[in-house]
Amino acid sequence: MFEENAEDQAEVPALTQPIHYERVVPTDGYVAYNNLGKRDEITLLACMAHARRYFEKALDHDQKRAEYALSMIQSLYAIEREAKAAAITHPERE
């Protein structure tokens, strides 16, 4: 589905086939995915594990706010665990 372009990483990934349906694409914040997000039929979904790492690094610089953000992320993880344990499907979670 994607084609790598080693010359200009900002252009990666390029779609190699047309998309005729809506799609959610989980990403790790890699800048090349921004091109996909410009398409109306694609929604970029940020990865909480990657976001969490930045708040862990921020503990040394702004402990109070970083701890708050990490506690909110833990709350989201707890909801996810509960939903999984209750066998709630993805459509039901919405």
Side-chain angles (χ1 to χ4, degrees):
M1 181 170 181
F2 299 114
E3 179 180 286
E4 187 166 334
N5 176 350
E7 292 180 16
D8 186 357
Q9 293 298 312
E11 295 299 320
V12 177
L15 290 174
T16 58
Q17 55 185 290
I19 293 180
H20 301 290
Y21 53 90
E22 291 187 22
R23 171 75 92 200
V24 174
V25 179
T27 72
D28 59 3
Y30 181 50
V31 68
Y33 291 112
N34 292 340
N35 289 332
L36 290 177
K38 293 176 184 175
R39 298 179 64 126
D40 290 338
E41 68 273 18
I42 296 178
T43 300
L44 298 182
L45 182 66
C47 169
M48 288 306 297
H50 282 83
R52 185 179 187 283
R53 292 179 193 159
Y54 289 101
F55 291 110
E56 287 176 342
K57 290 178 183 179
L59 285 168
D60 294 335
H61 305 286
D62 190 342
Q63 184 175 356
K64 185 177 179 180
R65 290 195 296 174
E67 285 177 344
Y68 176 77
L70 290 169
S71 72
M72 294 291 100
I73 292 170
Q74 284 304 316
S75 296
L76 291 173
Y77 287 166
I79 292 167
E80 188 175 62
R81 282 190 301 274
E82 291 171 14
K84 187 175 182 179
I88 298 172
T89 65
H90 288 282
E92 291 173 327
R93 293 179 194 192
E94 293 178 0

